[in-house]
Amino acid sequence: MLARPAQWLEERVGHGRFFQAVFLRQIPYGVHWWYSLGAAALFLLALQTVTGILLAMNYSPTPERAYESIRFITAEVPFGWFIRGLHHWGATAMVAVVLLHLVSVFVLAAHRYPREMVWLVGVVLLLITLGFGFTGYLLPWDQKAYWATSVGTNMAGTVPVVGPSLVKLIRGGAEVGAVTLARFYAMHTLLFPTAIAGLAALHVVLIIFHGVSVTPGEWHVELSPVPGAPPEPPSRDTYHPRYAAFKAAGPRFWPDVILEDLRVALVIFLLLVLLIVFAGVPLDERADPTDTSYIPRPEWYFMALFELLKYFPGALEWVGVVAIPALLVALLVLVPWLSHGEERRPLKRPVGMALTVALLVASTGLTVVAYQATPPTKVEEGGVVLTSQQLRGRQIIQQQGCRSCHVIKGEGDEKKGPPLDGIASRLTAADIHGYMENPKARNPDAEMKPLIPPLSHEEVEYVTQYLLTLEETVTP
Ligand code: HEC
């Protein structure tokens, strides 16, 4: 018995059978490098895990120490700057690759029978990935981290009924503080890693079980290039024999296809290194909760949502914060049921492709507009640094077209309403606020319409705060 230790171990552990099933499996005929996106996501997950563990060894999740520990990692720990850079840009790459993978799977109709569960697990993986991004953003405890999280968590407050309790639950207090940091750190390093490890494993096991999907083009060719495949058009009944024929004619995962995957992973890794070297790894000033003049902006993948919110001011904000994102997630979850025909070629699925293009154009457009509209993190006007609230007020004035009746900062139509420059010398904050909410209460003949609705009381206050900064315009 001891003469054949390899077989002894194989009978008890089954490593050979495992290797056979995972590495020697065949990949269907016609699959190419574009199919490596999923593997690229897996590679990035591994990279984030390794760099994340290394960062955690020197990071301290408290408001007093967090920022200094990041500085310490960057400046003192050998290769700390590089590890942090990989983790920073790796996060961005992971979101990008996961999104690309999702779009690609839908376009190639790889979510169809029998892979519906693979898609659903993938949707949850995407949400966890975004959760990682959101919680990780706070950890450096710099200005950007603090204020973006402050705004981001504040959004939960717009959820009808439970909003305020929700904000308190997420923050662990009224403001973003020590408890928020502890909670985000726990989610980022305990909850999400556990969840993503289990679900990514399930995702991979299901893919190995069902096999990689055949490309739509090959799947639908009239005269199948592989021997023994049941002819076109494929149906659910002939799916399995047809797939088996494609698989039998394809290459092995090891060593053929895995090389392709590794090559894509290497390209991504080199891109990350280039980003670290040429774009750098941002770290703002230390978070200052009293500095309300800081204008935060979220990570690029939340910018579209951030922009969308501006179209739902005041009492309608929850539509942008909750309803539309929930609708999008519901749409993703329902994809296997909404899109389940036999036709897999993108060009023959006009509705699905039109919807995909529309969603991509809309989100890209919103992102571009968001970047154009978001001012630099500090804005000076007439020598004063505007607070983020005053800036929001300035933005509302722009959107609401107040200049069609008022001169503001020397610009606008002076015929209809009084100039608002220098208004602070005439009216108090309370008067301005009260007037804008109800012009007729102070002047029964007022031509101006009240600012509410659709603006909330807070937003009217932001406008008021901005108006108070306006100096008298000197007329020559
Ligand atoms: C349709 C034209 C019109 C538009 C648009 C308009 N206003 Fe007015 N506003 C007036 C007129 C006219 C008055 C003064 C007389 C009155 O009460 O009718 C006035 C008065 C005011 C006053 C009081 C000024 C004072 O010195 O008493 C404030 C403040 C004000 N507007 C702010 C705004 C803001 C902010 C906006 C944009 C959200 C805006 N207005 C849009 C016409 C307009």
Side-chain angles (χ1 to χ4, degrees):
M1 232 175 288
L2 283 179
R4 309 195 60 189
Q7 194 186 340
W8 186 91
L9 206 63
E10 170 61 31
E11 273 174 31
R12 278 146 192 91
V13 178
H15 53 279
R17 278 163 286 167
F18 177 81
F19 187 78
Q20 176 94 29
V22 173
F23 288 97
L24 298 185
R25 69 194 154 101
Q26 267 161 307
I27 303 296
Y29 174 87
V31 164
H32 45 76
W33 71 270
W34 183 247
Y35 281 69
S36 292
L37 279 178
L42 194 62
F43 162 71
L44 284 164
L45 176 59
L47 185 72
Q48 293 305 89
T49 308
V50 173
T51 52
I53 291 172
L54 290 174
L55 286 175
M57 293 196 176
N58 286 297
Y59 173 76
S60 170
T62 63
E64 294 74 36
R65 298 280 314 132
Y67 185 74
E68 278 67 29
S69 62
I70 296 288
R71 304 261 319 238
F72 174 73
I73 288 170
T74 321
E76 310 278 335
V77 176
F79 292 103
W81 59 275
F82 185 64
I83 300 294
R84 174 161 179 258
L86 282 179
H87 201 72
H88 174 87
W89 288 111
T92 269
M94 183 152 166
V95 173
V97 166
V98 167
L99 285 175
L100 208 59
H101 179 48
L102 175 117
V103 174
S104 150
V105 164
F106 180 74
V107 169
L108 299 172
H111 62 281
R112 297 273 174 82
Y113 174 83
R115 298 181 179 76
E116 292 92 335
M117 286 309 291
V118 191
W119 172 271
L120 287 186
V121 175
V123 171
V124 182
L125 287 172
L126 167 69
L127 296 178
I128 300 176
T129 304
L130 293 176
F132 266 117
F134 186 68
T135 49
Y137 207 55
L138 179 65
L139 303 186
W141 203 254
D142 55 0
Q143 283 282 68
K144 187 171 55 142
Y146 184 89
W147 291 105
T149 304
S150 196
V151 172
T153 48
N154 210 14
M155 286 177 190
T158 65
V159 177
V161 189
V162 293
S165 334
L166 205 60
V167 178
K168 257 193 141 163
L169 178 74
I170 298 171
R171 289 185 182 170
E175 302 292 330
V176 172
V179 187
T180 323
L181 185 54
R183 284 190 185 181
F184 275 42
Y185 188 60
M187 285 193 271
H188 195 82
T189 58
L190 297 170
L191 178 65
F192 294 150
T194 315
I196 208 165
L199 288 167
L202 180 61
H203 198 67
V204 171
V205 165
L206 283 173
I207 290 164
I208 293 176
F209 179 63
H210 291 299
V212 176
S213 69
V214 177
T215 65
E218 296 289 356
W219 188 244
H220 283 288
V221 282
E222 200 101 7
L223 273 174
S224 168
V226 300
E232 250 266 311
S235 72
R236 220 165 254 209
D237 302 327
T238 57
Y239 172 84
H240 288 286
R242 192 170 166 87
Y243 183 73
F246 271 91
K247 198 166 167 173
R252 282 217 180 129
F253 179 60
W254 177 278
D256 306 324
V257 179
I258 200 172
L259 259 181
E260 201 69 63
D261 290 350
L262 288 175
R263 216 172 304 160
V264 172
L266 185 66
V267 169
I268 292 179
F269 187 81
L270 291 178
L271 271 176
L272 296 182
V273 174
L274 286 181
L275 280 166
I276 296 171
V277 173
F278 291 105
V281 187
L283 184 65
D284 240 342
E285 311 263 285
R286 192 180 199 284
D288 176 4
T290 60
D291 178 9
T292 50
S293 68
Y294 192 88
I295 302 145
R297 63 169 68 180
E299 273 287 49
W300 61 269
Y301 40 89
F302 288 123
M303 277 303 242
L305 183 64
F306 186 60
E307 181 63 25
L308 190 67
L309 302 181
K310 297 186 192 150
Y311 301 92
F312 297 97
L316 285 177
E317 207 174 341
W318 67 274
V319 176
V321 176
V322 192
I324 292 182
L327 214 73
L328 281 174
V329 173
L331 193 69
L332 284 181
V333 168
L334 289 177
V335 155
W337 290 275
L338 296 174
S339 157
H340 59 248
E342 303 291 355
E343 179 55 63
R344 289 184 48 212
R345 281 167 291 195
L347 293 180
K348 306 215 167 179
R349 291 155 53 216
V351 179
M353 289 312 106
L355 259 172
T356 309
V357 171
L359 270 176
L360 287 179
V361 169
S363 46
T364 313
L366 281 171
T367 307
V368 170
V369 173
Y371 272 105
Q372 284 171 345
T374 318
T377 50
K378 292 234 182 235
V379 170
E380 256 192 37
E381 213 182 73
V384 271
V385 177
L386 297 182
T387 67
S388 57
Q389 307 189 335
Q390 288 163 344
L391 257 161
R392 178 75 185 119
R394 186 174 81 164
Q395 198 176 32
I396 293 168
I397 285 174
Q398 206 81 37
Q399 286 166 349
Q400 305 258 324
C402 309
R403 282 195 175 83
S404 60
C405 299
H406 293 286
V407 170
I408 298 167
K409 282 207 85 65
E411 279 171 48
D413 192 324
E414 74 272 17
K415 289 191 260 331
K416 293 191 190 140
L420 298 181
D421 293 334
I423 192 169
S425 60
R426 284 180 277 131
L427 296 173
T428 64
D431 282 337
I432 300 174
H433 189 121
Y435 180 86
M436 290 192 298
E437 290 200 344
N438 190 358
K440 291 227 191 297
R442 288 191 54 240
N443 172 3
D445 309 320
E447 276 176 55
M448 189 173 126
K449 300 219 168 40
L451 294 194
I452 283 185
L455 296 180
S456 67
H457 294 285
E458 284 88 45
E459 284 166 322
V460 174
E461 185 55 29
Y462 300 162
V463 174
T464 310
Q465 292 303 325
Y466 176 68
L467 291 179
L468 288 172
T469 68
L470 299 176
E471 310 261 331
E472 205 92 46
T473 12
V474 212
T475 19

